[in-house]
Amino acid sequence: MPTQTKYALPLGAATREAFGKALVELGRTNPNIVALDADLSKSTYTAGFAKEFPDRFIECGIAEANMIAIGAGLASAGKIPFAASFSVFAMNKGFEQLRVTVAYPSVNLKVVGTHSGISIGEDGPSQMSVEDLSLACSLPGFTVISPADEIAMIELVKLAAAHVGPVFIRAGRPKVARVYEAGRTFKIGESIELLEGSDVTLMATGLLVAESIRAAEALEAEGISAGVIDFHTIKPLDREAIARAARETGAIVVSEEHLVDGGLGVRVAQVVAEMHPVPMEFVGIQNTYAESATPEQLLDKYGLLARDVAAAARRVVQRKR
Amino acid sequence: MQKTSDVAQLAAITKRMRRTVIEMITEAGSGHPGGSLSAAEIVTTLFFDVLRHDPDNPQWPDRDRFILSKGHCCPILYAVMAECGYCPKDKLMTLRKLGSIYQGHPDVRFLPSLEASTGSLGLGLSLGIGMSLAARLNKGKPGGKSRSYVVLGDGEIQEGQIWEAAMAAAFLHVDNLVAIVDYNQIQLDGFVKDIMSLEPLADKWRGFGWHVIEAYGHDIAALQNAFGEASSMQGKPTCILAHTIKGKGVSFMENNPKFHGTAPTREECAKALQELA
Ligand SMILES: Cc1ncc(C[n+]2csc(CCOP(=O)(O)OP(=O)(O)O)c2C)c(N)n1
Ligand SMILES: [Mg+2]
């Protein structure tokens, strides 16, 4: 049996707040960094950057499509723009602009979508982004990043700035469990194995990484050895890690705070089908829009807790036998 | 429901609606008081006087359509609809709670007598054009008399789609459509003039081919006159620029960007209710 680290999972900052912090740090070292927002700078945390670098902050008003294309123009002229809004508005209102002015010519724009998933709570579905990973991944040449905690967010924002090409970064509203220790290094496109296991691999992104760790610990008590892998990069996908997990554990659960249609799960399944077919289960939102309630109630009702990941793991292990 | 054109009665109802809004948002612990209060006279005057509608027959084809395009201000709409009898008053305090019909933004899945699910800004005017065009297509048949009323936020009209809709409504001569801009000068991050100025706003709507009426949006008689003028307008859509005060009726919320999207505390609620007594 591989030795498993016990995770403390202390509550950390929201990933949107970490984004704001990283953006200010980037602004201090790189004069080419520019930020754009669409009347949500206090919510997306670009307000800190706006305060320190007013000349490099462009308030676009409530006009997300325009913001994305202005960002594309800035990028084409050599700037490194970060355009932020609620993920649902940046991606959905800005999709045509993302396709034709960003992805197609492959310009160096970074789009940051905050308030992703259903854990925004009371505001309800009109503000909840549950299709953003699908949309972003569908764009050729895009890099798609979905950090699990504040540490990952800060490092990945810096890597996104250094990366040349369009990037989508997904951030959340609530404070989330800290999965990583400070000083941890990341590489775009390289998943991180958080726990080793031999019976099943729990793959996850964002909020569901901590839930998958909790699930693995519960499963261990039942004699099921579950590994956990954080896919902080959804595109390009770490195909080698997926193939290895399929070969070594023979069963995979993929969990995400996103519709199961078109998210991390189906992308992993494609790799599994191509490289090493094994039974899989998927934890995500099933073909519906959520509703207003507290984040905790919604994660419970829509089945995005450790309990749900563990149940999927038991099912998939059963199917192996 | 009892409709009325009496200004004093409408003012009394409006005040009660403001109280309900404050109580609902306080109970929910989140929500948007500022824009709900600025739109209070507009929504009350429409539902209690101007709109052709029947809460006992919400699917009536000839009803007028009301669209709250700035969906975040739904507490005022819910309070007024409940007062009209569309939905239970005793559930208003479940706003934003799990299973409530009173969702954080208008959601037709939970409250089918709403005309539209809104919350993503910028969409409502186009919906209104579609509903008004359907009425035109139904002329002389059931549904042919319906008019559409769309309440827009001033921040909201920064969205490009609003201006696509503005152009289309005028070009298509949609004269059974009224846009009401809740011109409270404040959006989410601050004052409209500092974020993305709209001026000269009346000229913009006129330039797009609309009949424009400017009115003080807390003056019920002025709103009644404006709606009357709009109904007699032929060949052109009408835009009412309703000059309002965000947070109107509660001194510490008035003109205060903080109360765009911050719920009052219990103490603030008590103070607000006192002022609205
Ligand atoms: C497309 C879109 N972008 C951003 C938001 C977030 N948001 C909610 S309310 C608001 C400000 C709206 O201001 P305004 O239209 O003036 O409304 P009011 O002052 O009447 O509350 C913003 C930016 C949204 N709901 N939809
Ligand atoms: Mg406003």
Side-chain angles (χ1 to χ4, degrees):
Chain A
M1 281 286 282
T3 45
Q4 299 203 338
T5 337
K6 287 281 175 222
Y7 274 80
L9 299 175
L11 194 63
T15 49
R16 60 177 167 137
E17 191 176 350
F19 153 65
K21 207 167 132 189
L23 190 64
V24 171
E25 286 173 28
L26 280 170
R28 287 180 189 149
T29 54
N30 188 340
N32 271 329
I33 302 283
V34 175
L36 300 95
D37 207 301
D39 194 27
L40 281 166
S41 69
K42 288 182 204 131
S43 308
T44 62
Y45 280 92
T46 58
F49 185 95
K51 189 151 180 253
E52 191 163 333
F53 310 103
D55 295 345
R56 285 192 267 148
F57 176 74
I58 298 150
E59 172 57 72
C60 297
I62 310 173
E64 297 80 6
N66 193 38
M67 172 180 76
I68 297 293
I70 291 176
L74 283 161
S76 309
K79 298 297 172 192
I80 307 174
F82 279 74
S85 181
F86 282 13
S87 197
V88 74
F89 306 132
M91 291 310 294
N92 293 275
K93 297 254 189 200
F95 196 69
E96 154 76 356
Q97 290 68 23
L98 287 168
R99 180 176 188 270
V100 181
T101 70
V102 182
Y104 176 34
S106 192
V107 306
N108 196 23
L109 177 69
K110 321 299 170 186
V111 182
V112 181
T114 67
H115 296 66
S116 62
I118 63 174
S119 57
I120 68 160
E122 291 81 356
D123 272 339
S126 68
Q127 322 287 303
M128 289 171 174
S129 197
V130 290
E131 308 94 341
D132 51 359
L133 292 179
S134 172
L135 289 168
C137 287
S138 72
L139 293 166
F142 251 76
T143 295
V144 178
I145 291 173
S146 164
D149 73 358
E150 55 176 310
I151 308 282
M153 178 58 92
I154 289 177
E155 293 311 311
L156 286 158
V157 167
K158 290 181 187 161
L159 292 173
H163 172 85
V164 180
V167 180
F168 170 68
I169 302 173
R170 192 183 205 231
R173 174 178 183 256
K175 293 188 191 317
V176 287
R178 246 182 37 214
V179 172
Y180 294 106
E181 304 275 334
R184 175 82 200 208
T185 56
F186 295 80
K187 220 176 138 199
I188 290 175
E190 211 173 275
S191 65
I192 295 179
E193 186 177 53
L194 293 167
L195 288 177
E196 283 180 37
S198 51
D199 298 327
V200 57
T201 306
L202 311 179
M203 301 181 177
T205 194
L207 207 63
L208 270 294
V209 173
E211 294 305 313
S212 294
I213 293 169
R214 293 189 179 108
E217 293 183 345
L219 290 164
E220 192 190 12
E222 300 168 22
I224 297 175
S225 163
V228 175
I229 303 181
D230 172 15
F231 282 82
H232 54 73
T233 307
I234 315 289
K235 184 180 180 174
L237 201 52
D238 190 346
R239 294 170 63 89
E240 275 318 308
I242 295 168
R244 199 179 322 117
R247 270 197 313 273
E248 290 176 4
T249 65
I252 293 171
V253 174
V254 189
S255 306
E256 59 198 311
E257 192 192 1
H258 188 276
L259 288 167
V260 288
D261 303 290
L264 175 64
V266 298
R267 292 178 56 77
V268 170
Q270 187 177 17
V271 176
V272 170
E274 283 170 8
M275 297 180 77
H276 191 95
V278 297
M280 293 183 69
E281 292 278 337
F282 304 91
V283 174
I285 304 158
Q286 306 284 339
N287 198 32
T288 189
Y289 289 107
E291 62 197 280
S292 294
T294 66
E296 298 73 25
Q297 288 169 328
L298 292 177
L299 295 172
D300 175 50
K301 177 163 178 181
Y302 291 87
L304 299 178
L305 295 175
R307 168 200 72 196
D308 307 292
V309 179
R314 285 182 208 108
R315 286 197 303 274
V316 82
V317 167
Q318 205 64 43
R319 285 170 56 198
K320 242 166 86 168
R321 286 165 189 160
Chain B
M1 69 168 289
Q2 192 64 40
K3 281 181 76 172
T4 178
S5 298
D6 183 83
V7 171
Q9 270 188 40
L10 288 167
I13 300 171
T14 307
K15 192 182 241 184
R16 254 191 300 124
M17 297 299 96
R18 285 205 161 89
R19 294 173 57 90
T20 306
V21 161
I22 294 293
E23 289 174 322
M24 289 169 75
I25 298 175
T26 306
E27 196 58 41
S30 67
H32 301 83
S36 299
L37 296 175
S38 61
E41 280 82 4
I42 297 166
V43 180
T44 306
T45 304
L46 279 169
F47 274 82
F48 282 92
D49 182 18
V50 177
L51 292 184
R52 234 162 94 92
H53 68 126
D54 177 5
D56 294 328
N57 186 9
Q59 294 306 311
W60 181 25
D62 270 314
R63 72 189 183 279
D64 288 340
R65 277 21 182 216
F66 176 84
I67 298 167
L68 184 66
S69 190
K70 51 166 203 150
H72 59 282
C73 301
C74 55
I76 185 65
L77 177 58
Y78 296 154
V80 168
M81 284 177 71
E83 188 70 20
C84 289
Y86 280 103
C87 39
K89 272 199 224 182
D90 63 358
K91 295 263 162 58
L92 284 169
M93 299 305 145
T94 63
L95 176 72
R96 294 179 158 246
K97 302 231 158 83
L98 183 66
S100 174
I101 58 169
Y102 300 119
Q103 292 282 299
H105 290 78
D107 187 332
V108 296
R109 300 174 307 165
F110 288 81
L111 188 53
S113 49
L114 290 164
E115 301 293 354
S117 294
T118 51
S120 178
L121 296 167
L123 305 173
L125 194 54
S126 308
L127 287 172
I129 294 175
M131 292 177 192
S132 288
L133 286 175
R136 186 195 283 178
L137 291 168
N138 292 335
K139 206 176 170 103
K141 291 184 293 205
K145 294 201 182 111
S146 171
R147 297 170 55 77
S148 308
Y149 294 84
V150 183
V151 172
L152 303 164
D154 49 1
E156 172 178 25
I157 65 177
Q158 291 159 350
E159 283 288 353
Q161 186 180 338
I162 295 294
W163 300 100
E164 296 180 21
M167 189 168 8
F171 180 72
L172 298 170
H173 306 289
V174 190
D175 56 9
N176 54 346
L177 173 70
V178 182
I180 305 105
V181 178
D182 184 348
Y183 204 0
N184 61 27
Q185 315 276 351
I186 295 177
Q187 49 191 108
L188 191 147
D189 268 341
F191 291 90
V192 175
K193 67 172 169 45
D194 300 325
I195 289 176
M196 182 63 61
S197 171
L198 303 164
E199 295 308 326
L201 188 54
D203 288 349
K204 284 199 173 80
W205 286 96
R206 274 192 207 103
F208 274 78
W210 287 58
H211 177 59
V212 177
I213 304 170
E214 300 207 45
Y216 182 54
H218 304 301
D219 179 340
I220 291 168
L223 288 173
Q224 287 172 317
N225 287 338
F227 288 124
E229 186 178 324
S231 350
S232 62
M233 193 64 208
Q234 304 245 312
K236 270 185 176 192
T238 297
C239 173
I240 300 174
L241 289 185
H243 293 269
T244 56
I245 295 168
K246 200 156 177 168
K248 172 74 179 173
V250 178
S251 59
F252 56 92
M253 292 187 179
E254 284 191 4
N255 227 4
N256 181 354
K258 180 190 155 190
F259 283 101
H260 163 77
T262 308
T265 62
R266 294 271 165 202
E267 300 78 72
E268 286 168 338
C269 174
K271 200 161 164 257
L273 292 178
Q274 227 164 39
E275 293 187 17
L276 292 166

